[in-house]
Amino acid sequence: MADSGIKVRIEGELAYIALNRPEKRNAINQAMLRALPEAIDEVDRNDVRAIIIYGEGQAFSAGIDFTSLTNDTGARGGEGGGPDMQRFRRFVAESQASLNRIESVEKPVIGALHGFVGGLGLELALACDARIASVGARLGMPEVRIGLVPDVGGTTRLTRTVGYARSKELIMTARMIEAADAEKIGLVNRVVAEGTHLAAAEELAREMARNAPLAVGLAKRIIDKGHGLDKMTFQELEVLAQSSLLLTEDFREGATALAQRREPRFKGR
């Protein structure tokens, strides 16, 4: 993974996944997209309780690497021919699957955002469970400015996060907004002082990591899978998850710790 533009490190209960192409403002290419789910799989196999995704250098991510878009996806086309659309559709499907893996891991994932967070970079951030942004961060999806649409879950996740009207405005204007405005509409959870975004993400990750990991993971899945379902089906997901959690060692430990007025010692089983 060393040459992929993705860097992984594990420190105790937290795992860190870094976008590591600072000389390109962490523009995301095909190698990075392929390495992201591998990084998630790597940390998921370890005994970590939360994951932080951040960018090295001056920005979280400038979005897609246009060299990769034109050269690696078939969008440019061959001599005398048009774009290879089958190859391009395969690239988009693989990209969507890459971000879906972030959403599907049963551990909380926090995006620590700074600098420019645009296009595919924002789509990546939206795949996280929560987003912490530093003052000075600018977020948006400018794809329509070059004749494209957000296609790696952007329209889907942005709509689910900020609602129909605001997602239409942001996407159709290609507007980049400041962190404070992103917080007002629920695009980010919290805005912190410049340079403290990673520390604030760690604080939130540790707060989540203190809780029973099986319960946290299933709560995440219920919210993600239940969105858009009718109320009764959504509630049925709660019942099914709860009926399995009642059988876990963590539930017994949590109930015992509460009765004994001490901190629980969860083991994830």
Side-chain angles (χ1 to χ4, degrees), residues 45-156:
R45 288 190 295 268
N46 285 272
D47 188 24
V48 300
R49 299 289 177 86
I51 302 165
I52 296 171
I53 298 179
Y54 70 100
E56 297 283 7
Q58 300 302 309
F60 177 74
S61 174
I64 195 164
D65 184 325
F66 278 94
T67 301
S68 177
L69 179 66
T70 56
N71 293 343
D72 298 338
T73 68
R76 172 174 290 175
E79 186 174 337
D84 185 341
M85 298 314 299
Q86 185 178 38
R87 182 179 167 192
F88 180 76
R89 285 192 294 271
R90 186 164 57 247
F91 168 78
V92 173
E94 290 174 354
S95 301
Q96 291 173 345
S98 178
L99 300 198
N100 289 344
R101 180 66 186 103
I102 297 170
E103 199 171 56
S104 69
V105 67
E106 290 187 16
K107 290 179 169 67
V109 182
I110 315 299
L113 314 179
H114 75 296
F116 192 87
V117 188
L120 183 54
L122 181 54
E123 290 178 304
L124 170 58
L126 282 165
C128 299
D129 300 304
R131 287 157 292 282
I132 303 296
S134 69
V135 170
R138 298 178 66 244
L139 305 89
M141 292 186 176
E143 283 88 344
V144 298
R145 192 170 294 159
I146 61 168
L148 298 174
V149 297
D151 62 353
V152 189
T155 54
T156 308

Side-chain angles (χ1 to χ4, degrees), residues 11-264:
E11 296 181 5
E13 63 187 0
L14 302 186
Y16 298 80
I17 298 176
L19 309 181
N20 191 33
R21 297 182 75 208
E23 74 284 358
K24 298 290 186 180
R25 294 201 303 163
N26 296 318
I28 300 170
N29 59 18
Q30 193 170 38
M32 295 172 75
L33 284 165
R34 288 175 174 168
L36 271 170
E38 294 176 6
I40 293 291
D41 290 344
E42 177 184 337
V43 300
D44 195 24
R45 288 190 295 268
N46 285 272
D47 188 24
V48 300
R49 299 289 177 86
I51 302 165
I52 296 171
I53 298 179
Y54 70 100
E56 297 283 7
Q58 300 302 309
F60 177 74
S61 174
I64 195 164
D65 184 325
F66 278 94
T67 301
S68 177
L69 179 66
T70 56
N71 293 343
D72 298 338
T73 68
R76 172 174 290 175
E79 186 174 337
D84 185 341
M85 298 314 299
Q86 185 178 38
R87 182 179 167 192
F88 180 76
R89 285 192 294 271
R90 186 164 57 247
F91 168 78
V92 173
E94 290 174 354
S95 301
Q96 291 173 345
S98 178
L99 300 198
N100 289 344
R101 180 66 186 103
I102 297 170
E103 199 171 56
S104 69
V105 67
E106 290 187 16
K107 290 179 169 67
V109 182
I110 315 299
L113 314 179
H114 75 296
F116 192 87
V117 188
L120 183 54
L122 181 54
E123 290 178 304
L124 170 58
L126 282 165
C128 299
D129 300 304
R131 287 157 292 282
I132 303 296
S134 69
V135 170
R138 298 178 66 244
L139 305 89
M141 292 186 176
E143 283 88 344
V144 298
R145 192 170 294 159
I146 61 168
L148 298 174
V149 297
D151 62 353
V152 189
T155 54
T156 308
R157 291 191 178 96
L158 186 63
T159 301
R160 290 171 63 170
T161 302
V162 304
Y164 282 92
R166 287 195 172 104
S167 63
K168 285 180 179 179
E169 181 179 354
L170 285 172
I171 290 171
M172 294 164 70
T173 62
R175 183 184 305 144
M176 300 295 296
I177 62 174
E178 301 296 327
D181 292 324
E183 184 182 28
K184 288 177 184 176
I185 64 174
L187 181 53
V188 301
N189 298 69
R190 192 180 311 159
V191 178
V192 297
E194 190 171 356
T196 67
H197 56 290
L198 194 53
E202 290 172 346
E203 181 182 356
L204 179 58
R206 293 191 192 283
E207 187 176 357
M208 293 179 176
R210 284 199 297 268
N211 299 307
L214 295 177
V216 169
L218 284 180
K220 171 179 175 172
R221 295 204 71 176
I222 290 170
I223 294 167
D224 285 341
K225 300 297 183 184
H227 183 90
L229 296 177
D230 64 277
K231 182 182 73 173
M232 299 306 294
T233 305
F234 206 155
Q235 290 180 341
E236 188 66 22
L237 294 179
E238 296 175 346
V239 174
L240 292 171
Q242 200 76 310
S243 63
S244 64
L245 290 170
L246 281 168
L247 303 175
T248 64
E249 290 182 29
D250 277 355
F251 168 65
R252 291 194 293 273
E253 166 62 14
T256 301
L258 182 63
Q260 296 176 352
R261 297 185 179 181
R262 61 172 174 79
E263 286 295 314

